[in-house]
Structure formats: C-alpha cells, structure tokens
Amino acid sequence: MSGILITSLDFELYWGMQDVVQLNKYSDNILGGRKAIPQLLDIFEKYNIHATWATVGFLFADGEKDAISYLPPKDRWPTYRSEDSSTYRCLGCTGDSEEVSPCFYAPSLISQIAGVQGQEIGSHTFSHYYCREPGQTTEQFESDMLAAQEIAEAHNYHVTSVVLPRNQCELEYTKVLNKLGFTAYRDEENDWIHEKVKFRPLMRALRLMDVYFPLTGQGGYIPKNENGIWNLTGSRMYKPYFKPLAFLEKQKVRRIKKQMLHAAKNGLVFHLWWHPHNIGVRTEYHLKQLDEIFSYYTELKKEYGMESLNMREVVEKFRVE
C-alpha cells in the first residue's frame, strides 16, 4: 500500500473557543481564519490536497433563529458540571445572519469549501460537544450528533466523518457514532505522552517539545476499524507560530516533513490537522509554511506514490481492500 496523507481541519469559529477566551480578545483570530480559508483552498487546489473540514453544526445555520430550530429537546442538552463548557450559553446574542455574526455562522464559507474538488464537509458535533466533560451523558451526545446530522442534511450536506472536540472519545461514544451511520472519526494521538503522563503541566510541556523533536516517533499507522467505525488517528497538529520558541520554527516544519517521509516510505497514514483560527493571525507566514509542507507532499507522491485523501476517501479505500 502507498502512504496516505490525511488533512483535516476543525472548523468551529468562536463556538470552539467560547469557554477559553473572550470574543473581543480573539476575534482577530476568528475573522482572520475566515479570510485565510479561501487562500488555503487555493493551496489545496495547487497541490491537489484532499481535506476533511470537520464543521460545528451551528455554522451551517443562516443565523440564530435557524440554529435554534435544530436544538435537541431541552432535556437532552449537555449537563456539563461546568456551565462555561456549554455553547448554548452563547445563544441569545449571536445575531441572525452570517453577515452580522461572522464569528458564529458560516454557510457561505461551507459552500465555498464544498465547491472545491477533494474537500469533504464533516462534523465537529452540533454544539462543540465535550465527550469527557463531567456531567454529560452518552444519551445527550447522541442527541447532539443527531442534531448535527439534521442541520447538515437540511443544508444539503451528508456528513459521515467526525472530529470530536479536543479529540475526546470513549468506547460508548464510538458505538453511538456507528449507530448513527458515521464511518470515521479522528482519535487523539496514540503515544506514550498521552498514555503514561498524567500530570498535565508535564504533559503539555512534553507535547510542546514533540512539535519540534521526535519524542514520540513518526506518527504513522495503519487505520483500524473499531466497533464498525474507522479510527483515523491524528498524527500531528500543525502548531501556529509560538514566539517563545520562534527559533525552532524551521525545525517544526522539518519534523512534519520527516513524519510524512516515514509514512510515504512505509505505506502508512500520516494525519495532519489544525483549526483555521490557528492561522488567523500571521496568516501569510503560516500559509507559506503550509505551502512548503504540501509542496513536499508532491515530491513524496512522485517518488513513493503517496496519496492525499480526505477521511471519507480513506474509508472507501480500506473498505475495498
């Protein structure tokens, strides 16, 4: 088997950051990320990169009234122990059109993405649902994913691939996804840092260094079908510019290229991912790095036959094999 490059993006706008940072402090990233998307699509077309855009359900809506019409029954809303975790608290002040509220709704961008060859519209849950947040239940998760399907279908998109926020997943949740007809999800990195390090400050420090140096190896793998759904594990998040370690930026790109080379040579999958808002500032700088990475993919395609496939296409390939 030839190596495979999977590219996926967590398309969430402010819904994915509402519990992390105030909108007025992060709007430049969100709006900059929106502006970066057409430029990303140009790069994808240039190098024939097929990508999955895991989209929060709210983004399909034409505005708040439309979004509210797809909410699950109130007794199935997520009962997170921390109220700040729920995106539902944003409703009531998100505006009633994409033009008015570009940090919350994006039907025009979704349409633009879907119109480019090789781009798959996937799901990032309906409400940016956290599967490991204390207080929520699998029943609430199922209702959330049903709502994600319904709002996507109503806007003429059939979603079969899922990226769960923060890559949080458990066995019972994959069973729900399979039951609802989803065929693939992106699991968190499968490495010793995630498995063995429980002290979060140390885990974060090690994960940061792994961006630049091979603490966890090359990240390539053969996909597995688990409970009827394909686990397309993330291999590497493309980390945006980090000023304290700016002197390691070239090393960051070299690290990604070496991982891609390893996958190409050994017939493995390498799964690269990030959020559009990660490149919403210093956009030209990030796009130049991504252009370099995807230009390198074309070299690997020529020399080793590496393929660029979105998550749905990977499932189709492995079902046949």
Side-chain angles (χ1 to χ4, degrees), residues 97-282:
S97 72
E98 179 180 11
E99 183 178 2
V100 171
S101 299
C103 291
F104 291 95
Y105 304 106
S108 70
L109 275 178
I110 297 171
S111 177
Q112 185 175 358
I113 292 164
V116 174
Q117 183 178 5
Q119 307 308 299
E120 174 196 9
I121 302 301
S123 177
H124 200 36
T125 74
F126 177 68
S127 66
H128 203 259
Y129 192 100
Y130 295 132
C131 294
R132 293 180 188 159
E133 185 68 22
Q136 55 76 41
T137 68
T138 53
E139 291 76 20
Q140 293 166 357
F141 172 70
E142 181 172 345
S143 293
D144 190 271
M145 293 309 303
L146 280 168
Q149 288 178 315
E150 289 170 4
I151 195 169
E153 292 284 353
H155 292 81
N156 300 312
Y157 302 99
H158 180 59
V159 292
T160 60
S161 301
V162 183
V163 171
L164 297 169
R166 297 178 182 168
N167 291 320
Q168 294 180 351
C169 199
E170 301 291 346
L171 175 61
E172 293 303 313
Y173 293 80
T174 61
K175 290 180 178 179
V176 170
L177 293 175
N178 181 42
K179 172 185 174 183
L180 296 180
F182 290 97
T183 59
Y185 77 103
R186 190 188 75 209
D187 202 359
E188 67 182 353
E189 289 88 339
N190 181 20
D191 57 55
W192 65 267
I193 294 176
H194 289 80
E195 292 178 357
K196 297 183 179 180
V197 181
K198 305 304 179 184
F199 183 54
R200 291 197 65 80
L202 177 59
M203 177 189 287
R204 289 177 179 175
L206 290 171
R207 288 177 62 185
L208 177 60
M209 293 313 298
D210 191 47
V211 169
Y212 307 98
F213 303 103
L215 302 188
T216 59
Q218 301 303 331
Y221 63 91
I222 300 294
K224 296 180 181 178
N225 188 299
E226 301 170 352
N227 301 305
I229 186 168
W230 289 90
N231 180 351
L232 303 180
T233 305
S235 302
R236 171 66 50 209
M237 177 185 172
Y238 168 73
K239 184 173 178 60
Y241 178 89
F242 184 51
K243 188 174 182 179
L245 296 178
F247 65 96
L248 290 175
E249 280 292 292
K250 290 184 178 179
Q251 178 62 27
K252 176 185 77 177
V253 175
R254 282 196 292 268
R255 169 88 164 111
I256 292 172
K257 286 182 175 181
K258 287 181 179 179
Q259 290 183 282
M260 291 169 63
L261 175 62
H262 178 79
K265 283 184 171 180
N266 294 280
L268 303 175
V269 167
F270 176 74
H271 192 160
L272 181 68
W273 65 278
W274 70 95
H275 309 75
H277 59 73
N278 292 145
I279 63 171
V281 295
R282 292 184 179 268

Side-chain angles (χ1 to χ4, degrees), residues 10-23 26 30 54-59 80 84-90 103-105 124-130 163-166 275-278:
D10 298 12
F11 188 23
E12 57 190 32
L13 298 182
Y14 186 58
W15 299 105
M17 296 298 293
Q18 61 82 30
D19 57 335
V20 177
V21 62
Q22 293 180 352
L23 179 57
Y26 203 68
I30 301 295
T55 307
V56 167
F58 283 131
L59 269 61
Y80 302 128
D84 289 351
S85 296
S86 178
T87 55
Y88 285 41
R89 69 194 185 106
C90 296
C103 291
F104 291 95
Y105 304 106
H124 200 36
T125 74
F126 177 68
S127 66
H128 203 259
Y129 192 100
Y130 295 132
V163 171
L164 297 169
R166 297 178 182 168
H275 309 75
H277 59 73
N278 292 145

